[in-house]
Amino acid sequence: AVERTLSIIKPDAVQKNAIGAILGRFEQAGLRVAATKMMHLSRDEAGGFYAVHKARPFYGELCDFMSSGPVVVTVLEGEGAIAKNRDLMGATNPKDAAAGTIRADFADSIDANAVHGSDSAETAAWEIGYFFGQREIFSR
Ligand code: CMP
């Protein structure tokens, strides 16, 4: 089925000048950019986005890192977009990420891991709504 998923190019990858390279991988894999924007999240905005991880020991550092510099938030659309995006990203920890994945090629650590992607249809809908209104998303 055609799905939508939320991608975030994290501050480390933006700093590395890798926005175009990463969006290019999505497009080359058949995903379409339905919405995209650059933002510098406040610590509270980062904390709200990752509220599901609030009780985890890494939550504070995650919020600090995600508000440390600009990010690119993107709605990707296409057949099986959620799983396809996760395949393209590779494992959360770049040490475990398969060769040729975005995290293997651009990530430095489990915190500075280049990209975020929604992990389910339910999460994707919530995450897209966190950043975008209906009128900012363009299907083709
Ligand atoms: P992301 O997909 O953005 O979702 C939550 C983020 O927390 C994750 O990527 C990692 O960058 C970060 N993180 C830090 N430590 C861990 C951990 N032990 N397990 C999962 N995610 C972690």
Side-chain angles (χ1 to χ4, degrees), residues 10 50 53 56 58 62 92 103 110-111 113 116:
K10 297 190 180 187
Y50 282 117
H53 295 307
R56 308 284 290 274
F58 56 82
L62 176 62
T92 303
R103 283 168 171 155
I110 194 165
D111 292 305
N113 68 346
H116 166 82

Side-chain angles (χ1 to χ4, degrees), residues 72-97:
V72 175
V73 294
T74 299
V75 178
L76 297 171
E77 189 176 72
E79 192 64 33
I82 296 164
K84 196 174 267 187
N85 182 38
R86 294 183 71 76
D87 288 347
L88 292 168
M89 291 193 296
T92 303
N93 189 336
K95 286 176 186 152
D96 303 326

